[in-house]
Amino acid sequence: MIHMANKVSVDLPAEVFDANTNVSLIHQVVVAQQAAARQGTHKAKTRSEVSGTGTKPFRQKGTGRARQGSMKAPHMIGGGVVHGPVPRSYGQKTPKKMKAAALRGALSDRARNGRVLVVDALVSGTPSTKAAKEALAGLGGANRNWLVVIDRSDDAAALSTRNLPTVHTLYADQLNTYDVIVSDDVVFTQAGYDAFLAHTDGAGKRINTEEESK
């Protein structure tokens, strides 16, 4: 049995879905997120690390060539690399308030263009990729990149959407700015929407408590 997702009418809180969209802030947060995803495992060997002999390649005088001291010098074939890349972290420190503000701005941009939807459930019962695909097609047609936000307990939706190439599924506590801006539409399940608001309210309460204690 195929379950068609039914849209749910909800009042999107203005502080989350009608906030100011700061493009510069969103750009900074997205760049930091992409930088943090880099492995940083690149490595080039220096002249002390390459394999080879340390003896002079030929005698000092009498050959007509420039004097050389080692085959492992950077200008020699097979020699070491000068100032080459070494393993490093590309992570950037981004305050939590900046990340939260950027996410609110991205969600607000989607909401103002009618691209934030809330459905009762994407699939019901047994996981079905076909059911999830038809449910999303009924919401906005084909050729769209969907971001589906679900609750941690919604295994049926997670299993049903993981093989759809145009669908990216996140749990409510994983929602981030980058995935919002690279998607055409953001679809919350009712449980995912409630979990996201609960997570957002909890973060706000923690911030207020910290500010009051200062």
Side-chain angles (χ1 to χ4, degrees):
M1 178 179 179
I2 296 177
H3 171 78
M4 298 302 293
N6 297 317
K7 295 182 182 180
V8 178
S9 178
V10 296
D11 293 328
L12 300 177
E15 60 271 15
V16 178
F17 294 95
D18 194 19
N20 177 47
T21 301
N22 188 330
V23 178
S24 298
L25 175 61
I26 292 176
H27 177 267
Q28 181 178 348
V29 170
V30 168
V31 169
Q33 184 175 343
Q34 291 179 314
R38 297 183 64 176
Q39 285 187 321
T41 55
H42 39 31
K43 177 70 171 71
K45 291 183 178 181
T46 65
R47 64 185 297 168
S48 66
E49 296 170 327
V50 295
S51 178
T53 178
T55 59
K56 287 175 67 67
F58 46 81
R59 58 196 177 96
Q60 182 81 349
K61 296 180 179 293
T63 64
R65 299 182 61 185
R67 55 193 177 187
Q68 303 294 333
S70 172
M71 290 297 293
K72 296 194 292 184
H75 63 283
M76 303 295 283
I77 296 177
V81 177
V82 180
H83 305 306
V86 294
R88 55 164 291 191
S89 171
Y90 285 93
Q92 302 177 15
K93 292 184 178 179
T94 308
K96 292 181 180 179
K97 290 184 179 180
M98 291 178 60
K99 293 180 182 178
L103 177 58
R104 289 194 300 267
L107 287 173
S108 298
D109 176 72
R110 290 294 182 266
R112 280 191 283 267
N113 290 280
R115 293 186 173 183
V116 174
L117 305 174
V118 181
V119 298
D120 54 354
L122 201 60
V123 293
S124 61
T126 305
S128 171
T129 301
K130 180 179 179 180
K133 183 177 181 179
E134 293 190 3
L136 291 173
L139 292 175
N143 299 324
R144 304 182 75 85
N145 291 318
W146 299 91
L147 175 61
V148 178
V149 184
I150 61 177
D151 183 59
R152 281 279 177 182
S153 61
D154 195 353
D155 293 333
L159 294 173
S160 299
T161 57
R162 65 181 180 178
N163 288 329
L164 295 174
T166 60
V167 179
H168 184 51
T169 305
L170 291 176
Y171 294 116
D173 56 355
Q174 294 178 325
L175 189 59
N176 60 85
T177 305
Y178 174 79
D179 287 316
V180 172
I181 65 174
V182 298
S183 302
D184 294 321
D185 296 86
V186 182
V187 179
F188 288 88
T189 62
Q190 183 65 65
Y193 175 75
D194 294 337
F196 171 69
L197 289 186
H199 178 74
T200 304
D201 292 342
K205 291 178 181 178
R206 288 195 296 272
I207 291 174
N208 291 336
T209 303
E210 292 174 358
E211 290 177 347
E212 292 172 359
S213 62
K214 292 181 180 178

